[in-house]
Amino acid sequence: MTRKGRLLAAAVWGFWMCAAAVGAFAAGAQEQAAKDYAEAAKAMSSGDTAGASKALSRIIESGQTPPAILVTAYFSRGAIYHAKGNLDAALSDYDRAIALRPDYGDVYVNRGNARYAKGDKTGAVADFDKAVELAPFSALASNNRGYFYLAEGDPIKATADFDRALNLSPKSPEILCNRGMARLLRDDPQGALLDFQAAIDISPQNAMAYRGRGLAYDALGQKARGAADLAKSKELDPRLADPTPTKK
């Protein structure tokens, strides 16, 4: 998986707000909007992203949706577009969500991911910075900015962000793997080994953790152990490309 791909995989979904949103709609006697939102949540939970997108579009286009709920609809539909690779549509929805609620940190995270995927590095890091500013206790915001720095070849800044993220979410295998890779790039295979081992302890079927631990063992001269972990990683996820850490 490419670094940009992993940034995209970290995109936030807006449907965690659906239950509260439906309650707000019902209280306002907007039964159709409540029905559409419930339909969107149900469709999303079953993997029917097309159905979810249609329901969200009805909410957006109704002209009766309260701004607080409209933000969530734009965010959620934008995340669906994002996951499908329709970055222009995703960015348009993220822009609208931010216009309605400029302090919504998670939307900046998603927009930063989309901007980076479009090659807009300046816009991406500005959004990640804004997300960290607005949500200093969000592990997601720090992790995504850290991965941006990692992808751009700055493992020192990346490590600082991953440290912050792990202070907030110490049991996250993804963040542990990210910091492990940053440590490999900083010529600290022993530290990397600790991070990848911790990720495996938490998530024993994590292909990226085995891949990273294999690279750490290899860097430490333990070739047989490294080869075994790399083979295990490929067994768990045959699509996973062999990452080759290089010095900055």
Side-chain angles (χ1 to χ4, degrees), residues 25-26 29-39 55 58-59 62 64:
F25 277 131
Q30 299 182 40
E31 295 181 2
Q32 185 58 47
K35 180 180 177 182
D36 286 337
Y37 223 114
E39 181 181 327
R58 289 197 298 270
I59 294 168
S62 73
Q64 300 178 357

Side-chain angles (χ1 to χ4, degrees), residues 25 37 59-61 65-75 97 100:
F25 277 131
Y37 223 114
I59 294 168
I60 289 167
E61 295 162 7
T65 305
I69 306 305
L70 193 57
V71 171
T72 308
Y74 275 126
F75 180 27
L100 288 166

Side-chain angles (χ1 to χ4, degrees), residues 2-227:
T2 65
R3 284 172 176 172
K4 289 187 181 181
R6 291 189 67 201
L7 278 167
L8 178 58
V12 189
W13 294 90
F15 280 92
W16 61 275
M17 294 181 66
C18 271
V22 170
F25 277 131
Q30 299 182 40
E31 295 181 2
Q32 185 58 47
K35 180 180 177 182
D36 286 337
Y37 223 114
E39 181 181 327
K42 183 178 180 181
M44 197 65 229
S45 67
S46 66
D48 179 12
T49 55
S53 185
K54 287 180 182 178
L56 290 167
S57 293
R58 289 197 298 270
I59 294 168
I60 289 167
E61 295 162 7
S62 73
Q64 300 178 357
T65 305
I69 306 305
L70 193 57
V71 171
T72 308
Y74 275 126
F75 180 27
S76 298
R77 191 177 70 173
I80 292 172
Y81 287 140
H82 194 161
K84 288 182 175 294
N86 189 347
L87 297 176
D88 289 332
L91 284 166
S92 177
D93 275 356
Y94 294 152
D95 287 346
R96 290 171 181 172
I98 287 171
L100 288 166
R101 185 179 164 187
D103 65 342
Y104 197 169
D106 284 349
V107 187
Y108 287 97
V109 172
N110 272 26
R111 193 174 71 174
N113 290 340
R115 282 177 162 178
Y116 187 66
K118 290 273 291 182
D120 179 8
K121 296 178 183 180
T122 300
V125 74
D127 275 347
F128 293 137
D129 285 345
K130 189 68 174 178
V132 173
E133 174 191 333
L134 291 171
F137 299 108
S138 167
L140 179 75
S142 292
N143 175 66
N144 275 254
R145 188 175 67 177
Y147 209 92
F148 168 85
Y149 286 131
L150 185 61
E152 290 301 300
D154 192 338
I156 295 176
K157 285 185 178 180
T159 301
D161 273 340
F162 296 144
D163 285 346
R164 184 181 299 108
L166 283 169
N167 282 336
L168 297 165
S169 184
K171 298 296 185 180
S172 168
E174 180 188 47
I175 302 173
L176 285 164
C177 285
N178 285 347
R179 190 175 69 177
M181 188 58 67
R183 285 176 161 177
L184 278 178
L185 289 168
R186 297 180 66 180
D187 292 326
D188 179 15
Q190 190 62 55
L193 183 63
L194 294 174
D195 279 341
F196 292 123
Q197 182 61 59
I200 290 169
D201 290 342
I202 295 165
S203 179
Q205 300 301 307
N206 190 308
M208 280 300 299
Y210 281 100
R211 180 73 68 193
R213 193 176 70 173
L215 291 169
Y217 277 137
D218 187 75
L220 289 166
Q222 300 181 44
K223 304 297 183 181
R225 281 182 150 184

